[in-house]
Amino acid sequence: MFPTVREVLALDPVRHGAPRVVAGDAGLDRPVRWVHVAEVPDIATLLGGGELVLTTGIGLPGDDAGLRAFIGDLADVGVSGLVVELGRRYVSGVPRVMAAAAERRGLPLVELRRATPFVRITEAVHALIVDAQLTELRATEEIHQRFTDLSVEGADAAEVIRQAAELSGCPMVLENLSRQVLGYDPAGESAELLLDGWEQHSRRIRPAGRTAYDPDSGWLVTVVGARGQDWGRLLLRWPAGGEPPTRRGNGSEAAPGGGPPTRLTILIERAASTLALGRLIRRDAEGLERQIHRTLLTALLDHSRPVDEVALRARALGVVLERRHLVGVMVRHRADDPAGEGGPEAGPARLRDLSEAVGQALREAKLTALTSAVDDHSVGALLALPDPAAEDRALSAFAAALRRVRLDAGAVRAAAGAETSRAMSGADPSRAAGGAPGGLIVAAGSGVDSLREARRSLVEARQIVEAARRDRRDLPIFRLPHVGLAGLLHLLRDEPRLQTFVERELGALLEYDARHPRERLLDTLRAYLEQGRNKSAGAAAAHLSRPAFYERLARIARILDVDLDSVEASLSLHVALVALDAVRTP
């Protein structure tokens, strides 16, 4: 907000004195913080840096060494320049030794060849400084007002970034902690050039501090987050070297040293605060609603509240469950979160993302439902449909919407340029979004026409989604007929007679493995049965040599007292193995 030496020399009171730069013209773009008149040689001790010193030279040293020391002291303290009026001490020009010393130190040295009242110069410069400060204050006030309005209106991230780019006249990018672009505004420049290879470029931007300017890359950066949890960075491009972008009437002026002006630092911090506050408000609002949804779903699953109370509270949320056809739905990832991958918070974050995707899919499919996470891996929903005829259509619409949500989740980040797009192209979207390995499984229970029966549909959906994890098919919706024997055994997993059957068939082998954990004979039996009793294929699946595999099968036959070549005996053992998996599934 301070004028430069060059701008001061262009003022009418200074031009009246016929100024001539005799040394240090490379420093003419230094800011002038104040104007100080001095006629004594030891004035440097009274200065703080950034002053433009005016003098007639009357009190300056008469020897060369004294003049060099005078110039050196001014340069050391960081004055912006020295203006000498000719006529009283120096008639034709300043001494050559003074000019040479100023040139060496890069200190602008200016002669005024006509007498000029210094008071007019100080008044003009100080008026310029005050006007700049007022302009800065007005701009800062506009920033605060603009972002306050955006916060009150609940503006989304795209609007906040657009307004920030408009106020600054500079390109802006919002990224997450993985350097993927969440939003941007090129401020009239090429978006393709701005975002090409963004991740690699962003990782080279390393400012010192939460809000700082990186002169090597030309980006002003601030961290975005709230409640001690940072989730992204907001970046504003200000070209290195202090060359401002097209002014566009926004008053952008380079700060001392070529960095962005203070106003832009205020702007980017207010924009970041608005983004963090907006996300916090939305998450808190959604979080409270989800808590109520989870309370009601849990109440239905474990009978912790009367169904009439559940219906009443659900109706208050806008979810009418009375006189509706109800269908329980469960969604989960086929594979559990890999152990240790992403740290201890990776699992909850993964479940939260899944819950958000399910909620968005329900909204896109225009379905009414209670929905929330129901355990550490699954998200449940109780669909409330107008009649049974709408069941198949509603489930298909939900599955399709969930697939779209999963496919579109990275749409904004994909705009981060060809580099990110190439990185994402290796994934198979259909496998990531559907029921394929590594993707999602969607399971639905049988439809019911009473809230008192809703638990049966939800429990059935939960059992089906667990049974379907071993099914290699990519089905939009898994229903009970799809999971066959595994699904039936999951439905009966709490039945004591099934547990007794498992113990009768496999108990001796389980006890043997407990005493000899290194042998793992149960896995050998599983490999043999899953390969259709083909011993060569079983040995390969168990990663054993055929003699070792045959010897283990013989030991299993002795322990269980069965003939493994018998189709009937092998079938009974295979059913027991599937039932054991169902019983062990939490």
Side-chain angles (χ1 to χ4, degrees):
M1 59 184 171
F2 300 112
T4 64
V5 176
R6 191 187 307 276
E7 290 171 333
V8 169
L9 296 182
L11 295 174
D12 287 342
V14 182
R15 291 173 59 195
H16 174 77
R20 182 169 72 95
V21 179
V22 295
D25 56 353
L28 291 178
D29 289 320
R30 292 180 178 180
V32 176
R33 186 177 60 84
W34 204 247
V35 176
H36 197 91
V37 179
E39 298 295 354
V40 292
D42 56 352
I43 188 61
T45 58
L46 304 177
L47 302 177
E51 296 89 354
L52 181 65
V53 177
L54 307 182
T55 183
T56 63
I58 294 176
L60 297 187
D63 60 305
D64 291 351
L67 288 175
R68 293 193 192 96
F70 174 69
I71 294 296
D73 290 343
L74 293 181
D76 289 341
V77 80
V79 300
S80 299
L82 175 63
V83 178
V84 180
E85 183 188 76
L86 303 180
R88 301 199 181 185
R89 175 69 181 273
Y90 308 119
V91 179
S92 60
V94 298
R96 290 183 180 178
V97 65
M98 180 186 291
E103 186 65 32
R104 280 196 304 271
R105 298 302 300 269
L107 177 68
L109 176 60
V110 181
E111 295 177 342
L112 293 180
R113 289 168 289 174
R114 287 202 298 264
T116 303
F118 284 170
V119 66
R120 293 182 182 175
I121 296 177
T122 58
E123 286 177 345
V125 175
H126 293 167
L128 201 61
I129 292 172
V130 171
D131 285 345
Q133 290 174 330
L134 286 174
T135 300
E136 190 82 1
L137 286 173
R138 292 190 190 101
T140 302
E141 183 180 0
E142 182 184 359
I143 289 169
H144 285 297
Q145 186 61 50
R146 184 80 65 95
F147 287 109
T148 297
D149 291 343
L150 290 172
S151 297
V152 172
E153 293 167 2
D156 60 16
E159 179 63 15
V160 173
I161 296 169
R162 188 190 70 78
Q163 297 263 14
E166 179 182 297
L167 284 171
S168 65
C170 303
M172 301 198 71
V173 176
L174 174 65
E175 64 178 15
N176 63 15
L177 298 181
S178 298
R179 304 301 196 270
Q180 294 174 312
V181 176
L182 303 176
Y184 67 94
D185 191 302
E189 299 184 16
S190 168
E192 184 177 354
L193 292 177
L194 176 68
L195 299 177
D196 185 38
W198 175 260
E199 181 179 341
Q200 288 69 26
H201 177 60
S202 175
R203 293 187 185 281
R204 293 193 291 269
I205 304 173
R206 304 171 64 90
R210 289 186 66 83
T211 301
Y213 178 64
D214 180 14
D216 293 335
S217 62
W219 286 90
L220 175 63
V221 185
T222 191
V223 176
V224 185
R227 292 180 177 173
Q229 295 183 344
D230 299 332
W231 53 265
R233 297 197 309 174
L234 185 62
L235 302 94
L236 179 152
R237 191 172 71 191
W238 180 268
E243 290 297 329
T246 303
R247 295 268 177 109
R248 301 186 184 119
N250 59 22
S252 297
E253 305 252 351
T262 304
R263 184 182 65 82
L264 291 188
T265 300
I266 295 172
L267 181 145
I268 196 173
E269 289 183 337
R270 278 306 311 269
S273 298
T274 303
L275 289 167
L277 180 61
R279 177 166 169 148
L280 201 59
I281 291 172
R282 285 189 291 274
R283 281 205 168 183
D284 282 351
E286 292 174 359
L288 180 58
E289 185 175 342
R290 284 198 188 122
Q291 288 173 25
I292 300 174
H293 277 239
R294 182 163 191 166
T295 298
L296 298 180
L297 275 180
T298 302
L300 290 173
L301 283 166
D302 59 18
H303 296 300
S304 60
R305 294 173 185 269
V307 292
D308 292 341
E309 181 184 340
V310 172
L312 182 64
R313 296 193 63 183
R315 192 186 316 124
L317 280 175
V319 181
V320 179
L321 300 177
E322 303 101 319
R323 295 186 295 278
R324 294 290 189 274
H325 184 71
L326 306 175
V327 182
V329 175
M330 291 288 166
V331 183
R332 67 157 293 158
H333 289 277
R334 183 178 292 276
D336 289 338
D337 198 29
E341 185 174 308
E345 295 185 0
R350 190 176 188 229
L351 184 63
R352 184 172 60 248
D353 290 343
L354 179 58
S355 183
E356 290 176 354
V358 169
Q360 185 176 342
L362 288 169
R363 289 190 294 271
E364 288 192 9
K366 295 180 172 56
L367 296 173
T368 300
L370 286 178
T371 179
S372 79
V374 293
D375 54 40
D376 291 341
H377 302 288
S378 303
V379 175
L382 181 63
L383 305 186
L385 307 175
D387 55 67
E391 182 176 317
D392 291 341
R393 184 172 62 255
L395 290 173
S396 298
F398 169 70
L402 182 59
R403 185 178 292 261
R404 283 196 304 272
V405 168
R406 297 282 292 171
L407 288 174
D408 294 344
V412 173
R413 293 189 292 272
E419 199 69 32
T420 303
S421 298
R422 282 193 295 272
M424 293 179 65
S425 64
D428 181 350
S430 66
R431 295 175 73 83
L440 296 182
I441 303 173
V442 182
S446 302
V448 298
D449 294 318
S450 167
L451 186 57
R452 298 184 186 280
E453 299 177 279
R455 179 180 185 275
R456 175 166 61 84
S457 184
L458 288 167
V459 171
E460 186 177 304
R462 176 185 274 177
Q463 292 168 339
I464 294 170
V465 83
E466 292 297 335
R469 294 177 63 194
R470 284 173 291 278
D471 195 306
R472 298 294 94 187
R473 290 174 294 174
D474 182 8
L475 300 179
I477 298 282
F478 279 88
R479 306 298 295 267
L480 190 57
H482 296 138
V483 293
L485 177 64
L488 174 63
L489 295 177
H490 263 275
L491 289 176
L492 300 174
R493 61 194 294 270
D494 295 325
E495 172 61 49
R497 285 175 291 185
L498 179 66
Q499 298 169 10
T500 300
F501 168 73
V502 171
E503 288 300 314
R504 185 178 69 242
E505 293 292 316
L506 299 174
L509 191 61
L510 292 170
E511 290 175 6
Y512 182 90
D513 273 357
R515 295 193 304 269
H516 307 86
R518 296 174 63 90
E519 296 189 33
R520 302 175 65 179
L521 293 183
L522 187 71
D523 290 344
T524 302
L525 176 62
R526 187 188 301 276
Y528 171 67
L529 295 175
E530 287 184 349
Q531 297 302 318
R533 297 188 302 122
N534 183 318
K535 294 180 180 179
S536 297
H543 305 291
L544 294 171
S545 65
R546 277 187 287 182
F549 189 73
Y550 298 162
E551 190 279 328
R552 287 194 176 196
L553 288 180
R555 201 179 323 158
I556 291 170
R558 289 195 301 271
I559 293 170
L560 295 179
D561 191 21
V562 296
D563 179 7
L564 294 180
D565 291 328
S566 165
V567 174
E568 184 177 351
S570 295
L571 175 61
S572 183
L573 289 174
H574 201 170
V575 171
L577 274 173
V578 177
L580 176 64
D581 291 339
V583 171
R584 283 178 169 178
T585 300

